[in-house]
Amino acid sequence: MSPADLVLLAGPISTEKGPGLFLRIILIASFVGVGLLVWAFARASKDGAKRDAQRAAERAAERERAATADGS
């Protein structure tokens, strides 16, 4: 078959609706879903790091208060 024949045969495939369009929609939706999942994990990790730093600062302040109370 010549390339012109292949282009002629592929023409209706690319313009008609069918399983190809459905699969493309599923593929795009899955990429969007994975992107949202990665964003959610990154945000949770960032918030978790902030909470951990805040807890560490509170523990350090508690130790300092305890040390000054014992030293008095």
Side-chain angles (χ1 to χ4, degrees), residues 37-67:
L37 187 64
V38 167
W39 174 79
F41 281 150
R43 184 168 173 110
S45 174
K46 181 180 169 186
D47 291 344
K50 284 182 183 177
R51 269 194 310 271
D52 291 344
Q54 183 180 7
R55 288 178 186 158
E58 288 172 359
R59 278 188 236 122
E62 181 78 26
R63 285 188 208 122
E64 286 180 22
R65 283 192 295 266

Side-chain angles (χ1 to χ4, degrees), residues 3-71:
D5 292 336
L6 292 175
V7 169
L8 184 64
L9 290 173
I13 294 171
S14 62
T15 58
E16 292 180 3
K17 293 183 180 179
L21 179 63
F22 177 72
L23 292 176
R24 276 179 273 184
I25 290 170
I26 295 298
L27 184 65
I28 290 169
S30 66
F31 277 119
V32 169
V34 167
L36 288 173
L37 187 64
V38 167
W39 174 79
F41 281 150
R43 184 168 173 110
S45 174
K46 181 180 169 186
D47 291 344
K50 284 182 183 177
R51 269 194 310 271
D52 291 344
Q54 183 180 7
R55 288 178 186 158
E58 288 172 359
R59 278 188 236 122
E62 181 78 26
R63 285 188 208 122
E64 286 180 22
R65 283 192 295 266
T68 55
D70 291 340

